[in-house]
Amino acid sequence: MNAMGATSNLVQKFQQYSDWRAAVGAALQRYQEWTTEANLSDSVSAQRINKALARLDDDKLTIAFVAEFSRGKSELINALFFADYGQRILPSSAGRTTMCPTELLYDPSFPACIRLLPIETRADALSTSDYKNSQHVWTVLPLDISSADGMLEAFKQVSLTKWVSQEEAKRYGLFDEDDPDAALATDDAGRVQISQWRHAIVNFPHPLLKQGLVIIDTPGLNAIGTEPELTLNLIPNAHAVLFILAADTGVTKSDIDVWRNHIGSGAGRMVVLNKIDSMWDELRSEAEIESQINHQISSVAQTLGLSASQIYPVSAQKGLVGKINDERALLERSRLPAFENALSHELIPAKRNIICSQLMADIDDLTAAKQAVMAARKRNIVEQLMELKSLRGKNTNIITHMMKRIDIEKKEFDESLQKLQGTRMVFSRLSSEVFTTLSMSIIKEEIRQTKEEMEGSMFTAGFRSAVKTFFEKAQANLVASSQKTDEISEMMSIMYRKFSTEHGLALSTPMPFSLDKYQQELRLIEGAYQRQFGAVTLLKTSQVVIMQKFFDSIASRVKMNFLQANRDVDSWLKVVMAPLEEQIRAHNGQLKQRLDSIARVHVAIDSLEEKIATIETLHAALDAQHKTLTAHELALKDVINPEHGSKTRSLRNAA
């Protein structure tokens, strides 16, 4: 087995997932093209399809590797993803080798490189996320992916450190003089060793990264606590968190702190018990070694409140050696293949199921709307056909009466349109009110006020009160905006029902919308703050700096939350009335067409049969179009969820 072959299962599963996303994207585009050609497309359906396509394009599977120092985390990443280079790529040695959070990903818009954010940016009131779009701030190192030695040298830059004064380290929130271990981090001159970088982004065209995998390599407990980006964003938003322990130490107090404060049990949480080779003892039998490993697994499971099946014993170092030297027996004994198998069979299908469920919900709404439009068109053709057939053998007086009836129907419809104008005015007013409490200027002002209050207080109660008030105001703003969007939804539902029942329009319910997910996001951000500082009773100088840095990251994430809410509300407001207005235009045209058809018959009764034949031809064409629409919908659902395959085939055969 060559090194690349050892990860083939992971690569294969990712390739299958990537192929599925590509197939779904192609099917969505085919569906969109056909509905546009069939004059069945509208702004709402176009927006839904574009959102689905964007979701597929942006879909990532993020795995965060979290561990205290010296647990073999970097070695595990090397063994899983870089063994084909024939040597270690991520620096891996005893002690603190990863000093800053590192993201490994692939973005085709950038060349292969390592982008490094200087540690000095911690002195500013900006989070790591705020700097993501400020390219000039980052130090960029080219990455020669054809040279293993070149790769290794480039990755070593991520671990560079430097010595700074205690005052400078305090300004960055990286030194606590009250910490009993603080003296261990200083040299004879009283200087403090800190990372040279705050954050690293490695853009690397690895097969798995190219297919959407993102690896988060985190530092140890101390850095997790001091870099809010990890606590607020990277770790909570990861689809999977691999918590690495060392078999020779078991679960230490610092491990428990990391688990409780930053990870916790839940979906996508896996525990790796690394360094099982420390238990390999030539004086013990294989059965004794296995018993010892199982005992350690049971102990870890009990301590962390997990089942033993959630603990994966491995030797990353021996697994890496086994892959590089093509030693199958050593690789199997390292248990790394079993762990890779668990990753590929648990994480990827779980991620696919989430995307599949979201897509199916969107497509169900989309196809229901298209079927309703098609049904309305067919109903209109049938009504025209029945009207024209009823004129057979009738005199001009009957035809005149029918023209008057349709004319009355049109006048009633025009009256409804007049009432709709009032709805449009209310809609415009409510739309403005939504943004009154959702505006970015309000949230920026509340952030400014909160920071002023924090800077003016050196007591825990003052800090807590300022942040608590900030979250309360932000939540109240979202609630107020949500009430307005609910009013708009209710008003539009009433109008949809009115035009459906009174005029037979193909309308069910307006496009749904809710700000609930943004309120939930705000609660998650507040929860992260509470976990970090909720138990703090007395602030030290160093903690004041950390709390201020933490609030900077909170403010950044809240701003992004509100910005996305603004964008989504704006998109929804632009399309929520679109189906009603498009149906109104179509119904108006149908009324005019019916009136015109009967008027022509009134002028020349001899043209009746010709007109009936024309409508019957249209009816047959609509029937054929309806069958094609249904076939396209079933084919689309079949690609998204193959379980629909049998149903698709049976319906196609019936058609």
Side-chain angles (χ1 to χ4, degrees):
M1 184 188 300
N2 58 33
M4 197 61 199
T7 57
S8 61
N9 195 29
L10 268 175
V11 174
Q12 182 182 13
K13 286 293 181 182
F14 262 91
Q15 185 61 57
Q16 290 172 355
Y17 181 52
S18 181
D19 291 345
W20 172 78
R21 287 185 309 179
V24 172
L28 276 167
Q29 289 175 330
R30 287 194 299 271
Y31 179 77
Q32 187 175 35
E33 289 168 2
W34 185 87
T35 53
T36 300
E37 290 173 3
N39 197 28
L40 282 167
S41 185
D42 54 50
S43 56
V44 173
S45 62
Q47 185 190 73
R48 279 181 165 158
I49 290 175
N50 289 335
K51 273 194 170 183
L53 289 170
R55 182 184 291 128
L56 288 168
D57 288 340
D58 297 338
D59 181 45
K60 303 289 184 184
L61 178 61
T62 303
I63 302 179
F65 288 71
V66 181
E68 260 287 44
F69 294 112
S70 300
R71 301 296 187 265
K73 173 172 52 63
S74 296
E75 191 78 321
L76 180 61
I77 296 174
N78 280 322
L80 288 172
F81 305 111
F82 299 121
D84 50 307
Y85 278 94
Q87 66 180 63
R88 294 182 178 92
I89 296 300
L90 288 185
S92 177
S93 59
R96 305 186 172 196
T97 54
T98 304
M99 296 295 289
C100 75
T102 303
E103 293 181 73
L104 291 90
L105 48 82
Y106 180 64
D107 182 348
S109 63
F110 286 92
C113 64
I114 299 179
R115 286 181 285 161
L116 299 161
L117 185 65
I119 195 67
E120 287 78 10
T121 58
R122 284 184 63 96
D124 301 325
L126 293 173
S127 70
T128 302
S129 295
D130 291 326
Y131 284 110
K132 288 275 176 88
N133 295 321
S134 301
Q135 300 303 327
H136 66 281
V137 180
W138 298 73
T139 296
V140 180
L141 303 177
L143 204 55
D144 183 3
I145 61 174
S146 63
S147 168
D149 290 336
M151 290 269 292
L152 180 59
E153 285 304 310
F155 273 97
K156 283 181 179 178
Q157 302 300 310
V158 178
S159 302
L160 291 180
T161 62
K162 62 181 181 178
W163 294 91
V164 298
S165 66
Q166 293 184 20
E167 289 71 23
E168 186 175 352
K170 287 178 186 177
R171 192 163 71 251
Y172 302 150
L174 296 175
F175 182 74
D176 181 2
E177 58 191 2
D178 296 319
D179 185 341
D181 296 327
L184 300 176
T186 59
D187 65 3
D188 294 339
R191 296 179 304 169
V192 182
Q193 186 180 29
I194 63 172
S195 171
Q196 189 165 316
W197 312 109
R198 180 179 181 182
H199 196 82
I201 299 176
V202 181
N203 194 48
F204 174 49
H206 184 282
L208 296 179
L209 303 183
K210 289 173 74 173
Q211 292 166 31
L213 176 67
V214 177
I215 300 168
I216 309 295
D217 184 11
T218 68
L221 170 66
N222 207 26
I224 291 178
T226 57
E227 181 49 74
E229 187 74 12
L230 289 169
T231 307
L232 280 170
N233 189 16
L234 295 178
I235 294 176
N237 291 333
H239 301 103
V241 178
L242 304 188
F243 185 45
I244 298 107
L245 302 171
D248 53 352
T249 60
V251 186
T252 65
K253 182 182 182 302
S254 60
D255 288 326
I256 294 175
D257 288 339
V258 174
W259 177 259
R260 289 176 179 171
N261 297 328
H262 304 293
I263 304 175
S265 57
R269 269 50 183 164
M270 305 171 76
V271 176
V272 179
L273 187 61
N274 193 21
K275 301 186 178 182
I276 59 170
D277 55 292
S278 65
M279 299 180 180
W280 298 354
D281 188 335
E282 294 179 358
L283 298 180
R284 291 192 184 121
S285 68
E286 284 297 322
E288 289 174 324
I289 293 172
E290 184 70 18
S291 175
Q292 189 177 10
I293 292 173
N294 288 336
H295 174 75
Q296 194 72 299
I297 290 172
S298 298
S299 175
V300 169
Q302 183 176 4
T303 303
L304 299 182
L306 301 172
S307 67
S309 62
Q310 292 174 276
I311 315 295
Y312 296 89
V314 302
S315 170
Q317 192 270 335
K318 300 304 180 187
L320 178 62
V321 172
K323 285 185 178 183
I324 291 174
N325 296 334
D326 197 14
E327 298 180 30
R328 298 192 181 196
L330 182 62
L331 181 59
E332 288 300 320
R333 195 181 185 197
S334 75
R335 305 197 190 187
L336 192 66
F339 177 58
E340 290 175 340
N341 190 59
L343 278 176
S344 62
H345 283 86
E346 292 182 25
L347 297 183
I348 299 172
K351 175 63 173 169
R352 174 170 167 167
N353 288 340
I354 292 171
I355 296 293
C356 183
S357 298
Q358 293 172 338
L359 287 171
M360 287 300 287
D362 289 340
I363 297 306
D364 283 341
D365 290 340
L366 187 66
T367 56
K370 294 287 179 280
Q371 289 288 342
V373 171
M374 184 61 73
R377 289 183 182 179
K378 292 177 71 173
R379 186 172 63 248
N380 173 61
I381 288 292
V382 169
E383 287 175 358
Q384 285 191 61
L385 201 54
M386 291 176 63
E387 284 176 346
L388 291 173
K389 286 182 176 180
S390 69
L391 297 179
R392 282 171 170 160
K394 300 296 190 297
N395 57 35
T396 56
N397 290 334
I398 297 295
I399 297 174
T400 301
H401 174 74
M402 187 171 288
M403 288 176 61
K404 288 180 179 178
R405 183 170 61 79
I406 297 174
D407 192 52
I408 291 171
E409 186 178 339
K410 188 174 186 313
K411 286 179 180 177
E412 290 175 349
F413 188 67
D414 289 340
E415 289 176 4
S416 294
L417 294 184
Q418 291 294 327
K419 295 176 182 177
L420 181 61
Q421 286 301 110
T423 300
R424 286 194 178 100
M425 293 177 64
V426 176
F427 177 85
S428 179
R429 175 178 58 80
L430 289 174
S431 298
S432 298
E433 291 176 359
V434 169
F435 292 108
T436 300
T437 47
L438 200 62
S439 75
M440 295 305 296
S441 60
I442 287 180
I443 197 67
K444 288 177 181 177
E445 175 59 21
E446 289 173 354
I447 288 170
R448 187 193 65 78
Q449 291 177 3
T450 304
K451 292 184 73 170
E452 280 188 359
E453 291 178 27
M454 291 176 71
E455 289 169 2
S457 174
M458 294 302 294
F459 298 97
T460 307
F463 270 76
R464 283 180 176 167
S465 176
V467 178
K468 182 174 182 290
T469 301
F470 169 74
F471 278 113
E472 287 174 348
K473 287 182 178 179
Q475 197 67 258
N477 288 337
L478 283 174
V479 169
S481 294
S482 181
Q483 289 171 346
K484 296 301 178 183
T485 58
D486 288 346
E487 282 186 57
I488 293 172
S489 291
E490 180 59 27
M491 180 181 69
M492 294 309 303
S493 295
I494 292 171
M495 294 307 298
Y496 272 50
R497 288 195 297 270
K498 174 182 173 62
F499 278 89
S500 295
T501 56
E502 294 181 7
H503 304 291
L505 269 60
L507 296 163
S508 50
T509 56
M511 184 179 180
F513 184 80
S514 173
L515 285 169
D516 287 352
K517 67 178 180 180
Y518 301 104
Q519 295 176 45
Q520 176 61 22
E521 172 74 1
L522 202 59
R523 285 190 286 270
L524 289 174
I525 298 171
E526 186 175 12
Y529 162 78
Q530 291 294 346
R531 285 193 301 274
Q532 193 76 13
F533 298 107
V536 176
T537 56
L538 182 64
L539 283 179
K540 303 172 185 175
T541 304
S542 60
Q543 289 176 317
V544 169
V545 176
I546 292 173
M547 285 188 78
Q548 289 171 336
K549 298 296 177 194
F550 206 86
F551 183 76
D552 290 338
S553 287
I554 284 173
S556 174
R557 188 163 165 185
V558 171
K559 280 191 293 186
M560 288 302 299
N561 191 39
F562 269 69
L563 182 61
Q564 190 58 55
N566 272 271
R567 290 172 177 169
D568 285 356
V569 169
D570 185 56
S571 297
W572 176 68
L573 291 173
K574 287 178 179 176
V575 300
V576 69
M577 285 193 75
L580 177 59
E581 292 178 334
E582 288 169 8
Q583 286 279 320
I584 285 170
R585 283 195 296 271
H587 190 68
N588 238 337
Q590 291 162 5
L591 287 173
K592 291 177 181 177
Q593 189 177 14
R594 286 168 59 194
L595 196 60
D596 183 58
S597 296
I598 296 175
R600 289 181 182 179
V601 173
H602 184 260
V603 174
I605 196 73
D606 295 339
S607 68
L608 177 59
E609 293 302 323
E610 182 182 336
K611 194 66 181 175
I612 288 174
T614 301
I615 298 298
E616 285 178 336
T617 301
L618 286 173
H619 188 233
L622 268 181
D623 270 339
Q625 192 181 56
H626 192 190
K627 289 180 180 178
T628 305
L629 171 65
T630 302
H632 275 287
E633 290 172 350
L634 291 172
L636 177 58
K637 291 180 179 180
D638 189 13
V639 173
I640 295 173
N641 187 353
E643 291 180 5
H644 285 263
S646 58
K647 179 181 177 183
T648 301
R649 286 188 291 274
S650 62
L651 287 170
R652 280 176 180 165
N653 293 334

